[in-house]
Amino acid sequence: KHNTKAMKMKQFNLLSLFLILITFFGSANSTIVSHDERAITIDGQRRILLSGSIHYPRSTSDMWPDLISKAKDGGLDTIETYVFWNAHEPSRRQYDFSGNLDLVRFIKTIQSAGLYSVLRIGPYVCAEWNYGGFPVWLHNMPNMKFRTINPGFMNEMQNFTTKIVNMMKEESLFASQGGPIILAQIENEYGNVISSYGAEGKAYIDWCANMANSLDIGVPWIMCQQPHAPQPMIETCNGFYCDQYKPSNPSSPKMWTENWTGWFKNWGGKHPYRTAEDLAFSVARFFQTGGTFQNYYMVRFSYMQKYLVAGGPYITTSYDYDAPLDEYGNLNQPKWGHLKQLHTLLKSMEKPLTYGNISTIDLGNSVTATVYSTNEKSSCFIGNVNATADALVNFKGKDYNVPAWSVSVIPDCDKEAYNTARVNTQTSIITEDSCDEPEKLKWTWRPEFTTQKTILKGSGDLIAKGLVDQKDVTNDASDYLWYMTRVHLDKKDPIWSRNMSLRVHSNAHVLHAYVNGKYVGNQIVRDNKFDYRFEKKVNLVHGTNHLALLSVSVGLQNYGPFFESGPTGINGPVKLVGYKGDETVEKDLSKHQWDYKIGLNGFNNKLFSLKSANHHQLKWSTEKLPADRMLSWYKANFKAPLGKDPVIVDLNGLGKGEVWINGQSIGRYWPSFNSSEDGCTEECDYRGEYGSDKCAFMCGKPTQRWYHVPRSFLNDKGHNTITLFEEMGGDPSMVKFKTVVTGRVCAKAHEHNKVELSCNNRPISAVKFASFGNPSGLCGSFAAGTCEGAKDAAKIVAKECVGKLNCTMNVSSHKFGSTNLDCGDSPKRLFVELEC
């Protein structure tokens, strides 16, 4: 996935997405799931399934019921999730299924909502997850190679997969036992890399299929993005579009396991955005062309817990993915509502879509009509894949105006009920709540203690001759590893000059360098160039010189063939360089004896823990709060914001580090790393193929500055504690706690539709703009057009909506009055902006 993000995305680039399906079971112990070329069959009925991905450890468990309920309300049938090996088996044969890692409880929560589940065991997940979900101890086993014919890997993979399957069986969670799990997955997107493994790749994927099939789960297995999957595995598609995808096996249903609702964010990257129009277009086209199962990746995510502070490499803590449910659990409008309307119509057409005869009519200029017909009913689609030209077509004796890059859905083959390009759902503008001035935090601080001992004396945990790979030493228990060595120089040393530098070839995501206890400088990875050369001028002395390099990891590689063997840390060479006029003399220190210290003392002593507050040796200073100080710890108490709105902490003004609330990590932060100044657009044209670089916004801004603080982490009564570790230097006095609310609501609804308006449990306070006819502009800058309804639209909307939590209006000339002029070919619309 990371290899493809820098490329121009094509129609069949395959990444990871997840689906949510909403269906009720028949008799509890007789549910049978099978498949044919047209659909997934459940209890003898062919089903089209709409699904969405929710990662259980990325959402706090207290939020699960609400998130699943909102997914169901949005018209989905199934919740899909990965199973995260490195989270559940952090040490070999030591398992963790507690708290937010309680997979059984997550599946049962899905079941209690009346939904199905798709269990993507993998156990390789990709998912922008650290190391692709593999535990690093696996890499450090002797003679280990991942995802190929390797006895050690296969044994560990089978052990973990079997454990997960047995846990599900013991709780009767497979549909064959009356449970909610209708599909399970083995491996993930191996088809993208199989050619790099040669004959062993084919042998490995055959072994995966046989191993999974032997576990006898009673429901079908899928292999995501795996052309020619071994039988009886079902291959599936991943990508932004899968309408042209055809399974290699003609007897397999056409399934789309990852419809990417947006894209992930890299540190230093811009904010990606995928329009509701384009996402709905991709879904409607998929079902127009014979699709049977479609999953959104993502429907909802939250931050990553401490055991996986963020993904890798260089993935932000936020994994919002522009999903229909945002990272705070709110409806992401208009995307959520626009898709809900489509889902409702698709469900009404289920019988023709799964049992009907199919005929396709070419209407010219990239426009096609598709008819699904049974003896009882026919349903139709008209799709226009032309990216620039709207189409006026005659179909079955009626004229239809189909905008460019859109699909019209005609459930009865007579009257258009929905078009993907015509959004009649409100847009919610989420803002920070500034009603109450946030309290001023009183900070205490302390340095990352014994740092001077480390960088001056080279005191470490182990000694080795030569440079080592960071993950081999740390086992990913820490982002930080000190590399330390000594070098003796006398006046006669050939390198000695008045102009000397330190040169380091590095794969560290961040490198900090010290010489004789003095800070030399740092270098960070930019533009995904993880292999670079650091060089800075240094002051050396005659005699012994101490060199200390702090290597910082920001997540491990998670994608690509043989990704486990990729270098991390400082791989060298490390040299001192003397410049003598035109002559350059180098001294290679790479094979010297090096001392290594894993992690930082503040982490090892758990300064972020509430228990550390009473430790008599861990004193915190209240004097002269320093700003822009490297390698420092900060702590403050605060009161939880009142109410039930989602809580955020604004970390703008800080450098780089990690943040904890009441001892629980809410992730890495790096607001000092801004995106580039160019490449953003004020308004996104939904027409044409979407790619990860299209429709970016927030140029020149931090990739992430706001962090969600789940209310379950907070004490409503009494004090709460925020702890920061600041690596690069920042100003903690700028940190503020706030809540996020719906501040404004806008809508651009077409005539002959209903528009629902809501401030998300807040009353609608005022009408800022309303016009019926041909208004124009963006939300926040609407303007009346040349033709307008005879009645005062603002007064009508105010009467219907102000003071209420929600309101619904028919958009029609009857309600808003006939227009004073002919509006031309454009359909009349109602533009509304409300204040909350």
Side-chain angles (χ1 to χ4, degrees):
K1 184 181 297 186
H2 288 273
N3 288 354
T4 64
K5 70 181 184 307
M7 299 169 61
K8 181 178 179 182
M9 297 304 297
K10 296 184 179 179
Q11 194 164 15
F12 300 110
N13 276 351
L14 304 170
L15 302 180
S16 305
L17 305 170
F18 292 69
L19 314 181
I20 297 181
L21 312 173
I22 304 170
T23 311
F24 294 87
F25 289 104
S27 68
N29 296 313
S30 63
T31 304
I32 298 173
V33 179
S34 62
H35 70 88
D36 56 29
E37 72 280 4
R38 290 293 298 276
I40 297 295
T41 303
I42 302 173
D43 279 339
Q45 296 295 316
R46 290 178 177 176
R47 296 294 313 277
I48 62 164
L49 296 174
L50 297 161
S51 173
S53 299
I54 296 178
H55 293 336
Y56 55 97
R58 281 180 171 151
S59 306
T60 55
S61 57
D62 64 299
M63 296 177 71
W64 292 348
D66 181 60
L67 295 174
I68 292 168
S69 175
K70 287 175 178 174
K72 179 177 180 178
D73 289 345
L76 301 182
D77 306 300
T78 298
I79 304 293
E80 181 176 300
T81 189
Y82 280 134
V83 179
F84 300 91
W85 190 356
N86 54 359
H88 291 304
E89 194 175 0
S91 300
R92 189 169 185 260
R93 302 301 185 266
Q94 300 296 313
Y95 301 102
D96 186 357
F97 292 93
S98 62
N100 292 346
L101 295 176
D102 192 339
L103 177 60
V104 167
R105 183 158 60 95
F106 182 69
I107 301 298
K108 288 185 175 180
T109 305
I110 295 169
Q111 183 178 28
S112 66
L115 305 184
Y116 294 132
S117 173
V118 176
L119 190 66
R120 298 179 69 176
I121 300 174
Y124 168 72
V125 298
C126 186
E128 287 70 61
W129 196 266
N130 197 51
Y131 218 36
F134 287 137
V136 176
W137 59 258
L138 183 68
H139 164 73
N140 290 333
M141 292 180 67
N143 304 312
M144 177 57 64
K145 289 184 179 179
F146 289 179
R147 306 177 79 191
T148 189
I149 296 297
N150 178 277
F153 176 78
M154 294 159 69
N155 178 65
E156 296 301 323
M157 176 177 168
Q158 182 168 4
N159 177 79
F160 181 75
T161 303
T162 303
K163 181 172 184 63
I164 298 300
V165 166
N166 287 343
M167 287 176 63
M168 301 300 107
K169 284 184 175 181
E170 288 169 5
E171 299 292 335
S172 299
L173 294 177
F174 288 107
S176 54
Q177 302 171 292
I181 301 173
I182 59 171
L183 296 167
Q185 179 182 311
I186 194 69
E187 250 299 341
N188 185 46
E189 296 183 332
Y190 195 70
N192 294 347
V193 299
I194 190 171
S195 61
S196 299
Y197 293 88
E200 288 193 349
K202 176 63 167 63
Y204 166 70
I205 210 68
D206 288 341
W207 172 83
C208 289
N210 290 330
M211 184 269 288
N213 201 43
S214 71
L215 296 176
D216 191 26
I217 61 176
V219 300
W221 285 94
I222 60 174
M223 280 188 168
C224 170
Q225 190 51 29
Q226 185 60 55
H228 305 286
Q231 295 299 300
M233 307 291 110
I234 307 172
E235 69 175 80
T236 70
C237 178
N238 285 356
F240 291 117
Y241 308 95
C242 283
D243 52 295
Q244 297 303 304
Y245 162 73
K246 293 183 179 180
S248 304
N249 184 342
S251 67
S252 292
K254 182 173 178 175
M255 298 175 63
W256 189 1
T257 37
E258 296 186 12
N259 182 351
W260 305 327
T261 59
W263 201 244
F264 56 87
K265 294 184 289 188
N266 293 295
W267 293 115
K270 294 179 281 290
H271 293 242
Y273 167 68
R274 188 181 186 189
T275 66
E277 294 96 325
D278 181 65
L279 183 58
F281 168 77
S282 72
V283 176
R285 277 289 294 173
F286 179 70
F287 285 103
Q288 179 183 1
T289 55
T292 185
F293 172 95
Q294 190 267 167
N295 176 72
Y296 296 105
Y297 187 97
M298 301 281 298
V299 158
R300 201 273 178 177
F301 113 101
S302 185
Y303 60 91
M304 304 179 189
Q305 294 281 78
K306 172 59 191 91
Y307 52 83
L308 289 166
V309 175
Y314 248 47
I315 305 298
T316 59
T317 299
S318 173
Y319 194 64
D320 185 82
Y321 231 95
D322 197 23
L325 296 175
D326 69 20
E327 60 186 296
Y328 312 118
N330 295 323
L331 306 184
N332 179 11
Q333 297 282 33
K335 188 168 283 185
W336 184 87
H338 192 47
L339 292 173
K340 177 180 179 178
Q341 293 171 357
L342 175 57
H343 301 155
T344 300
L345 288 173
L346 291 172
K347 295 290 184 63
S348 74
M349 300 157 58
E350 184 173 63
K351 195 67 176 284
L353 291 180
T354 54
Y355 288 90
N357 295 318
I358 307 171
S359 58
T360 301
I361 304 166
D362 187 348
L363 300 176
N365 199 26
S366 303
V367 181
T368 56
T370 306
V371 181
Y372 289 81
S373 59
T374 66
N375 292 333
E376 296 83 19
K377 181 181 179 181
S378 294
S379 294
C380 297
F381 300 87
I382 303 177
N384 181 3
V385 298
N386 190 305
T388 57
D390 296 348
L392 179 62
V393 298
N394 188 275
F395 174 66
K396 290 184 175 289
K398 285 196 171 185
D399 289 335
Y400 295 89
N401 190 321
V402 187
W405 203 253
S406 77
V407 176
S408 289
V409 182
I410 313 170
D412 58 359
C413 289
D414 181 58
K415 183 179 180 181
E416 177 188 291
Y418 179 93
N419 180 273
T420 59
R422 299 185 182 117
V423 178
N424 297 296
T425 300
Q426 72 176 42
T427 296
S428 299
I429 309 299
I430 304 299
T431 61
E432 302 169 53
D433 188 2
S434 56
C435 294
D436 299 314
E437 185 67 24
E439 65 174 312
K440 187 76 172 178
L441 299 179
K442 296 179 180 180
W443 293 93
T444 60
W445 73 280
R446 61 163 302 125
E448 164 57 23
F449 57 114
T450 70
T451 298
Q452 290 300 311
K453 179 180 178 182
T454 300
I455 63 179
L456 278 175
K457 298 184 178 180
S459 176
D461 301 314
L462 58 94
I463 299 173
K465 189 173 179 61
L467 299 167
V468 300
D469 188 276
Q470 180 168 343
K471 65 178 175 293
D472 294 347
V473 176
T474 65
N475 211 38
D476 201 36
S478 173
D479 285 351
Y480 299 94
L481 178 65
W482 288 98
Y483 291 69
M484 298 168 290
T485 193
R486 306 168 189 81
V487 58
H488 185 84
L489 300 177
D490 57 36
K491 294 181 180 180
K492 297 182 180 180
D493 196 296
I495 197 176
W496 190 264
S497 77
R498 294 183 178 180
N499 184 10
M500 291 180 285
S501 70
L502 169 65
R503 180 186 297 169
V504 182
H505 180 257
S506 175
N507 286 92
H509 299 152
V510 181
L511 171 64
H512 298 281
Y514 297 80
V515 173
N516 294 327
K518 302 295 184 181
Y519 188 61
V520 174
N522 68 52
Q523 189 159 329
I524 67 175
V525 166
R526 294 184 183 274
D527 301 321
N528 298 306
K529 296 176 181 177
F530 291 96
D531 189 286
Y532 60 89
R533 189 174 82 173
F534 166 92
E535 185 164 355
K536 292 286 184 180
K537 185 176 180 179
V538 295
N539 294 316
L540 301 172
V541 299
H542 294 129
T544 300
N545 292 268
H546 294 268
L547 172 65
L549 304 175
L550 179 58
S551 173
V552 186
S553 166
V554 189
L556 298 178
Q557 183 64 39
N558 78 324
Y559 177 80
F562 311 106
F563 72 85
E564 75 277 8
S565 60
T568 57
I570 299 169
N571 56 327
V574 176
K575 297 179 179 180
L576 295 177
V577 183
Y579 295 94
K580 300 179 178 182
D582 294 335
E583 182 184 8
T584 300
V585 182
E586 300 178 353
K587 181 183 287 290
D588 194 339
L589 309 180
S590 305
K591 296 183 180 180
H592 277 212
Q593 177 176 292
W594 289 80
D595 284 60
Y596 296 93
K597 177 176 174 56
I598 299 170
L600 300 174
N601 288 298
F603 285 85
N604 297 336
N605 285 277
K606 297 184 177 180
L607 290 183
F608 50 82
S609 170
L610 295 181
K611 295 180 180 179
S612 71
N614 299 321
H615 198 294
H616 68 281
Q617 294 181 342
L618 304 179
K619 295 181 179 180
W620 295 75
S621 174
T622 59
E623 302 294 327
K624 298 179 181 179
L625 179 70
D628 299 321
R629 190 183 192 282
M630 292 182 58
L631 301 182
S632 299
W633 292 82
Y634 299 90
K635 183 171 63 175
N637 293 327
F638 67 96
K639 293 181 180 179
L642 299 176
K644 296 182 179 180
D645 294 318
V647 178
I648 59 169
V649 58
D650 184 355
L651 301 184
N652 200 33
L654 296 181
K656 176 184 180 295
E658 189 171 344
V659 55
W660 295 261
I661 301 295
N662 292 333
Q664 300 194 67
S665 176
I666 59 170
R668 297 187 184 105
Y669 64 79
W670 203 346
S672 61
F673 197 171
N674 290 347
S675 66
S676 61
E677 294 285 349
D678 53 10
C680 290
T681 56
E682 184 177 0
E683 186 173 15
C684 178
D685 187 346
Y686 68 86
R687 299 173 302 175
E689 288 189 5
Y690 178 78
S692 59
D693 294 328
K694 182 180 179 181
C695 301
F697 67 105
M698 291 190 71
C699 285
K701 304 292 184 181
T703 311
Q704 184 179 359
R705 62 178 279 191
W706 293 284
Y707 284 71
H708 181 207
V709 182
R711 285 195 175 268
S712 60
F713 284 15
L714 298 173
N715 300 313
D716 290 332
K717 299 178 181 178
H719 289 293
N720 296 274
T721 302
I722 178 174
T723 307
L724 306 172
F725 170 67
E726 180 53 66
E727 176 189 321
M728 289 187 167
D731 186 359
S733 67
M734 296 179 65
V735 173
K736 294 181 176 65
F737 285 89
K738 298 181 180 181
T739 57
V740 289
V741 298
T742 302
R744 285 182 295 140
V745 168
C746 293
K748 299 179 177 181
H750 293 74
E751 190 176 15
H752 309 306
N753 285 276
K754 286 184 178 180
V755 60
E756 299 178 11
L757 302 169
S758 167
C759 282
N760 191 24
N761 296 320
R762 302 178 78 205
I764 298 168
S765 60
V767 178
K768 192 171 182 181
F769 180 90
S771 177
F772 175 74
N774 63 350
S776 61
L778 302 175
C779 183
S781 59
F782 287 153
T786 56
C787 74
E788 238 185 328
K791 299 179 183 180
D792 188 330
K795 286 185 177 180
I796 295 172
V797 174
K799 182 178 180 181
E800 296 274 356
C801 301
V802 171
K804 299 178 181 178
L805 295 178
N806 54 71
C807 58
T808 302
M809 286 175 293
N810 290 311
V811 181
S812 67
S813 297
H814 175 74
K815 189 171 189 67
F816 292 97
S818 300
T819 53
N820 55 349
L821 294 172
D822 182 6
C823 292
D825 294 333
S826 300
K828 290 188 281 292
R829 301 175 72 180
L830 173 69
F831 279 30
V832 176
E833 182 178 352
L834 305 177
E835 292 182 353
C836 299

